[in-house]
Structures are given as structure tokens and as C-alpha cells.
Amino acid sequence: MLEQTKAIVLHSIKYGDSSLITTCYTEKCGVKSYMLKGVLKSRKSKIKPAYFQPLTQLVLTVNHNNKGALNSIREVEIEQFYTSIHTDIKKQTIALFLAEILNYSIKEEELNSSLYQYLEASFLWLDTHSNISNFHLLFLLNLTKFLGFYPDLNTSDNNYFDLYEARFTTKQNHHTVSGDKIVQFKKLLGIHFDAIHTVNFNAESRQVVLSILIQYFELHLSGFRKPKSLQVLKSIFS
């Protein structure tokens, strides 16, 4: 049955000589993967490979088979035209990195309107702002709200943060963050993207916080692995 849904591209891979398999986070059905047969060689096709760059926001007319196999796309159009994400090298790198994070983090094939709205609004913010060096850090932290392990702030005055328990504590173990690391980590708590420019990170502290967040995701998400683009991201913002 054909249906229409908004979607955000997470991952695309070449299949054979002429086709693509793309994975998208859809507004109505969660994560879905699609086979785009012949899209790489057909000049007459209305479906263009350029539509499936990381984080592109689309409107899809699709056939969801709901049997675990690849789905098909009948029509596609751009929902939001980005002005800079796919042309600015820093934003391109962030987009590739966050698309990998999302591809490893979200597996559910079900409606989650609040998560979709968060992704949609966040990437539009990234596209329209220039002070974006800390964007990926705040994005990852806020993403944990929707994945179920945002830090418990009730005891945020404590000197240690237990990554496994997702809470601040007075006791240290092999999963806790302390010292200057926790000072840097706390700078992100409770702020919005419009205040990201007020967070004072140098290159070193930015890498420290990123490493904490990656470890945090690894502890809480089964099957999560470090994105291949992580080193590129670190070099761009070092």
C-alpha cells in the first residue's frame, strides 16, 4: 500500500553497478530501508542520487511491505532545501558523523513524533547558523533524552558522573567521569542550541567531551560502534 511520509536520510550504499540502498528515519514508520533500482545510471529517472545525501529531509511516497525486506520508493521530493550543510566542509563533516550516529543508534520501525521533530528542527538550525563548532556535542547529549538515558540532574552537584547509571554520584568507579572532564561535560547541561555560542570549549576540551559522549552511547546502546567519520570530525575541529 502506498503512503506518504517525511524522512531524513541516514545512510546510503551502492548496490551493484546502478542501484542504491538507502536507510531513512521516517516520520510515520521509524527506520526504513529502500532499494532504488537503477538510480545511478538512469538519466530519465525523477529520483536522483543527490537526494540521498546524509541528513537530507525528504517527502517520500513509498510502498512499505512490513515483511523485513527492502521497501520501494515511488516518488521523492525535497522537504527542506539546505543552504549550507552540503557545501560547508565543517557542516558536511558534522552531517556525516551524526548520520552515522543515528544509523547506529535508532533501530525501531515505529512512530516517534517527538524524536522526528527534534531531528528535523536540529538540522535546520545547523543549516542556518554559523557558530556550529559545538553543535554535535549538544545534539548528542540532547539525543539521549529520546533514547532513554539523559543524565539525571537531581544530583548534578556531585563530583562524579556515572556513565553507566546516567547520574551524578559521590562514589568513583571505572565508569565515572571526574575532575576537569566533568566540569567540561556539565557546560552542556540544560542549554539550547541558541546558547551554544556561550559554551567556552577549546579544541582539547571539545575532544574530551566528545569522547565522553561516545563512551556514554557505547555503554547504553547495544550494537553501537564508533563512527568511521569520528577521526575526520576530530581533525576538523582540532
Side-chain angles (χ1 to χ4, degrees), residues 144-209:
T144 66
K145 294 177 182 179
F146 304 94
L147 300 180
F149 53 98
Y150 189 77
D152 182 351
L153 303 183
N154 290 324
T155 55
S156 60
D157 290 336
N158 290 335
N159 294 328
Y160 303 102
F161 179 66
D162 190 318
L163 294 169
Y164 187 76
E165 297 291 339
R167 63 185 179 88
F168 294 89
T169 179
T170 58
K171 298 180 180 180
Q172 189 171 16
N173 60 53
H174 61 287
H175 286 142
T176 54
V177 178
S178 61
D180 185 62
K181 290 183 178 181
I182 199 172
V183 171
Q184 302 305 322
F185 180 70
K186 283 183 176 182
K187 290 180 180 180
L188 291 175
L189 297 175
I191 68 169
H192 301 284
F193 286 120
D194 286 338
I196 195 67
H197 65 281
T198 66
V199 179
N200 183 24
F201 284 143
N202 58 29
E204 182 180 357
S205 58
R206 189 176 294 116
Q207 302 304 339
V208 164
V209 174

Side-chain angles (χ1 to χ4, degrees), residues 106-137:
I106 307 173
K107 303 299 180 184
E108 292 76 18
E109 294 189 22
E110 59 187 32
L111 174 71
N112 187 336
S113 297
S114 59
L115 174 55
Y116 191 90
Q117 290 168 9
Y118 171 68
L119 300 181
E120 185 178 51
S122 297
F123 301 142
L124 287 177
W125 191 99
L126 174 63
D127 185 57
T128 55
H129 290 76
S130 57
N131 195 334
I132 49 86
S133 295
N134 300 324
F135 172 86
H136 55 294
L137 303 177

Side-chain angles (χ1 to χ4, degrees), residues 47-155:
I47 300 178
K48 306 299 181 184
Y51 294 163
F52 299 95
Q53 297 181 72
L55 305 189
T56 302
Q57 297 188 32
L58 305 171
V59 176
L60 305 177
T61 301
V62 296
N63 182 22
H64 287 154
N65 54 52
N66 297 317
K67 296 179 181 179
L70 292 171
N71 303 280
S72 59
I73 297 176
R74 180 69 60 87
E75 297 177 1
V76 57
E77 60 183 87
I78 302 292
E79 166 69 6
Q80 298 287 349
F81 284 91
Y82 293 143
T83 60
S84 62
I85 285 181
H86 294 144
T87 56
D88 180 285
I89 185 61
K90 288 187 176 181
K91 293 184 180 183
Q92 278 184 324
T93 305
I94 288 175
L96 180 60
F97 172 74
L98 294 182
E100 279 195 87
I101 289 283
L102 293 170
N103 193 42
Y104 295 154
S105 301
I106 307 173
K107 303 299 180 184
E108 292 76 18
E109 294 189 22
E110 59 187 32
L111 174 71
N112 187 336
S113 297
S114 59
L115 174 55
Y116 191 90
Q117 290 168 9
Y118 171 68
L119 300 181
E120 185 178 51
S122 297
F123 301 142
L124 287 177
W125 191 99
L126 174 63
D127 185 57
T128 55
H129 290 76
S130 57
N131 195 334
I132 49 86
S133 295
N134 300 324
F135 172 86
H136 55 294
L137 303 177
L138 184 57
F139 175 88
L140 292 180
L141 180 61
N142 287 341
L143 179 62
T144 66
K145 294 177 182 179
F146 304 94
L147 300 180
F149 53 98
Y150 189 77
D152 182 351
L153 303 183
N154 290 324
T155 55

